[in-house]
Amino acid sequence: MTSFTGAQSRGTFLVVDDEPDILDAIARLFRKEYTVLTAQSVEEALKLIAAHDVQVVMTDQRMPKMSGIEFLAELREDHPEIVRVLFTGYSNISDVIDAINEGHVYRYISKPWKPVELRLFVAQAFEYYRAQRERRELMAQLREANEQLEEQNALLSAANEELKLLDRVKNVFMEVVSHELNTPIAIVFGYTFLLRKELGEDLSSVASKALSGIDSSAVRLKNISNRIFKMLGDDGSGEALDLEWVDVRKFVDSLQDQLDPFLQKRNQRLETVVAPEAQSILADEDKLNDMCLNLLMNAIKFSYDDQVITLDIGLSDDPEVLALTVRDSGVGISDDDIAQIFDVFFSTFNTGHHSSGQFEFNKRGIGLGLAVAKRFAEMHGGYIKVDSEEGRGSLFTVYLPVRPEQQTLRSSVQTRQLAQHAPH
Ligand SMILES: Nc1ncnc2c1ncn2[C@@H]1O[C@H](COP(=O)(O)OP(=O)(O)OP(=O)(O)O)[C@@H](O)[C@H]1O
Ligand SMILES: [Mg+2]
């Protein structure tokens, strides 16, 4: 058993022959290029294979206990990766052909060989080994990628199932909101109306106060149920838009009218600026109104008494896109919260500031306002950007195409969501 190591070994090559002269000749021929191991018997060869990382085995067919083909067939079972080469005289050629056809042997070389030819054969055998190894590695990578894909697929379908379930829950919830909640609310209104009529002038101050309390609570309940319904009822597909040309100036005046009572109570002022170029926009006026009211009510709630809120409407850098900006100098939004403020039901609820109205300082609601505003902006093919500093105030800018096209709405809803929460 001998081993020769070349200075720059390109692999390990095992030669098996019972004639030491032949082993010696082959070792000399290859030792500069490969690590050459030699064995005079199958037993020796197997020991060497067990101890080394052998890539190519070349064996003589005529061996004392076992033929070269038998040895290579066995080797194939235990080490299929090793490239098997046979060298033999012409006499056993039919056995060799069978061996090659059965896949036990990669090549055969006839004795006596020409050194140039043998070098070429051996180089090819090593090349074949490398190609096979690469193939195996690629296959392993592919299998791994496949397994990962299957895992992700399983996760996706689980998530899908969960979504379907949530969707069913949502539908049930919608029914509860629209029927189970709205019906009793309507009944409460009916009874307070009746009672007022019945008692007429006899209404004591306590009864009057109680009736007003019942009424205003019912209004609040109705508002909440309406907003939940709005949020869950529209699937954002753009189908529910009722587009018409909206006169921006008139629209702003109407906002001012709606907000005046709240502004007065807080002694705040709403300053509005409408750029001359921003005269009209094609939009669903009700949704536009809701969106602006939500932003402005937030500005009122999260500003201090006596402060000024501004509403600025003009064209953005793109003349086809309107920019509607609501600015306040109120409490601002913390970095932790800003990523979540557009989420449904996200409200930085603070029991210390909880009060019954809608506009008192720092009054948190149920966290639907911005989710509704975002949804409506997206339905118009637009998006909302927020910029805020805690303690300094907030700036919400809604970008809306002047002429939203139904076809483009769907894609813009998806592509714009990423930009949505990012402050400057
Ligand atoms: N202008 C603002 N200044 C400071 N914080 C704001 C402002 N607008 C929104 N926020 C923060 O974002 C949260 C979510 O706002 P959103 O309008 O969705 O809900 P809400 O006002 O709490 O309740 P709702 O609008 O449903 O009555 C608020 O609770 C508040 O913490
Ligand atoms: Mg709000």
Side-chain angles (χ1 to χ4, degrees):
M1 213 186 314
T2 328
S3 138
F4 306 86
T5 308
Q8 283 181 319
S9 174
R10 293 165 58 199
T12 303
F13 178 32
L14 170 63
V15 193
V16 191
D17 197 313
D18 56 349
E19 287 180 49
D21 290 348
I22 291 185
L23 291 179
D24 211 39
I26 295 177
R28 259 184 283 117
L29 190 63
F30 287 102
R31 71 179 155 206
K32 283 208 179 107
E33 278 178 275
Y34 304 101
T35 302
V36 185
L37 307 173
T38 58
Q40 279 179 260
S41 67
V42 168
E43 293 78 37
E44 271 184 36
L46 289 174
K47 276 185 200 149
L48 283 169
I49 287 167
H52 297 82
D53 179 19
V54 176
Q55 286 121 45
V56 176
V57 169
M58 185 167 84
T59 178
D60 187 20
Q61 165 69 340
R62 265 189 312 112
M63 302 282 286
K65 288 188 193 148
M66 191 189 255
S67 77
I69 291 173
E70 282 165 349
F71 164 51
L72 292 182
E74 239 177 55
L75 187 64
R76 186 187 177 202
E77 293 292 310
D78 297 336
H79 297 276
E81 73 285 359
I82 295 180
V83 180
R84 301 166 300 274
V85 181
L86 188 75
F87 60 123
T88 178
Y90 286 114
S91 53
N92 347 63
I93 198 73
S94 66
D95 293 348
V96 173
I97 291 171
D98 288 348
I100 289 180
N101 287 345
E102 284 161 27
H104 304 319
V105 175
Y106 164 64
R107 296 209 86 141
Y108 100 91
I109 299 162
S110 59
K111 270 180 177 175
W113 60 76
K114 290 191 191 113
V116 182
E117 224 171 60
L118 185 62
R119 292 183 85 115
L120 186 70
F121 273 33
V122 170
Q124 281 174 349
F126 272 98
E127 197 44 55
Y128 181 70
Y129 176 87
R130 270 187 287 275
Q132 290 291 96
R133 188 180 55 196
E134 265 170 36
R135 195 176 144 264
R136 276 195 303 275
E137 281 168 4
L138 281 175
M139 292 294 284
Q141 282 172 12
L142 212 79
R143 251 196 311 277
E144 201 180 314
N146 221 7
E147 275 163 20
Q148 279 175 4
L149 252 169
E150 269 168 22
E151 257 170 50
Q152 286 180 352
N153 233 355
L155 283 177
L156 262 176
S157 45
N160 214 6
E161 282 306 309
E162 209 169 309
L163 269 177
K164 279 190 198 153
L165 181 71
L166 281 175
D167 202 47
R168 281 201 294 276
V169 171
K170 185 193 102 171
N171 288 341
V172 173
F173 188 62
M174 291 272 299
E175 276 168 30
V176 171
V177 171
S178 70
H179 183 263
E180 303 296 319
L181 262 178
N182 284 345
T183 311
I185 292 170
I187 293 170
V188 170
F189 280 130
Y191 278 129
T192 54
F193 177 79
L194 253 178
L195 259 178
R196 268 212 181 82
K197 218 171 130 193
E198 185 69 24
L199 295 171
E201 297 297 308
D202 301 339
L203 214 60
S204 72
S205 69
V206 178
S208 163
K209 209 172 161 204
L211 276 173
S212 307
I214 294 170
D215 268 342
S216 71
S217 292
V219 167
R220 273 177 56 218
L221 250 177
K222 187 153 183 57
N223 281 344
I224 291 174
S225 100
N226 281 350
R227 306 181 77 191
I228 294 176
F229 196 69
K230 263 182 203 158
M231 188 60 220
L232 300 177
D234 286 311
D235 61 2
S237 64
E239 279 151 25
L241 281 188
D242 184 8
L243 296 176
E244 58 186 324
W245 282 103
V246 177
D247 181 305
V248 175
R249 192 63 256 181
K250 276 192 198 151
F251 174 74
V252 169
D253 288 346
S254 140
L255 283 175
Q256 180 87 54
D257 289 346
Q258 294 170 75
L259 291 167
D260 263 347
F262 307 117
L263 291 161
Q264 275 173 24
K265 290 227 171 177
R266 299 288 316 281
N267 202 26
Q268 292 168 340
R269 199 154 45 82
L270 173 67
E271 268 178 16
T272 59
V273 184
V274 178
E277 319 82 70
Q279 286 196 348
S280 54
I281 178 172
L282 188 61
D284 184 320
E285 189 162 359
D286 283 347
K287 291 194 166 56
L288 197 65
N289 190 60
D290 262 8
M291 187 176 75
C292 294
L293 280 184
N294 277 320
L295 295 176
L296 289 162
M297 286 301 289
N298 281 348
I300 293 174
K301 286 195 301 187
F302 299 111
S303 289
Y304 303 94
D305 286 354
D306 311 320
Q307 282 191 321
V308 176
I309 292 151
T310 60
L311 167 67
D312 198 315
I313 302 185
L315 293 182
S316 70
D317 296 342
D318 178 347
E320 284 301 306
V321 177
L322 202 85
L324 190 153
T325 307
V326 175
R327 183 196 296 272
D328 68 62
S329 323
V331 296
I333 304 164
S334 73
D335 290 348
D336 284 345
D337 290 344
I338 205 152
Q340 301 169 70
I341 56 170
F342 289 95
D343 293 348
V344 179
F345 299 128
F346 176 83
S347 183
T348 42
F349 183 73
N350 178 342
T351 46
H353 287 114
H354 192 52
S355 53
S356 56
Q358 293 179 4
F359 50 86
E360 279 85 351
F361 176 61
N362 238 356
K363 160 77 174 64
R364 263 82 174 179
I366 52 171
L368 275 178
L370 287 180
V372 169
K374 174 183 173 231
R375 174 71 66 88
F376 287 176
E378 287 173 353
M379 286 174 78
H380 283 83
Y383 63 102
I384 304 181
K385 204 177 80 181
V386 54
D387 195 359
S388 183
E389 199 179 324
E390 211 173 355
R392 307 280 311 258
S394 309
L395 183 83
F396 286 81
T397 310
V398 187
Y399 294 96
L400 293 173
V402 177
R403 278 179 210 83
E405 285 167 34
Q406 294 286 357
Q407 299 93 304
T408 63
L409 292 181
R410 253 154 259 193
S411 59
S412 50
V413 167
Q414 287 156 10
T415 50
R416 298 227 163 105
Q417 276 183 334
L418 277 181
Q420 204 86 34
H421 298 164
H424 285 316

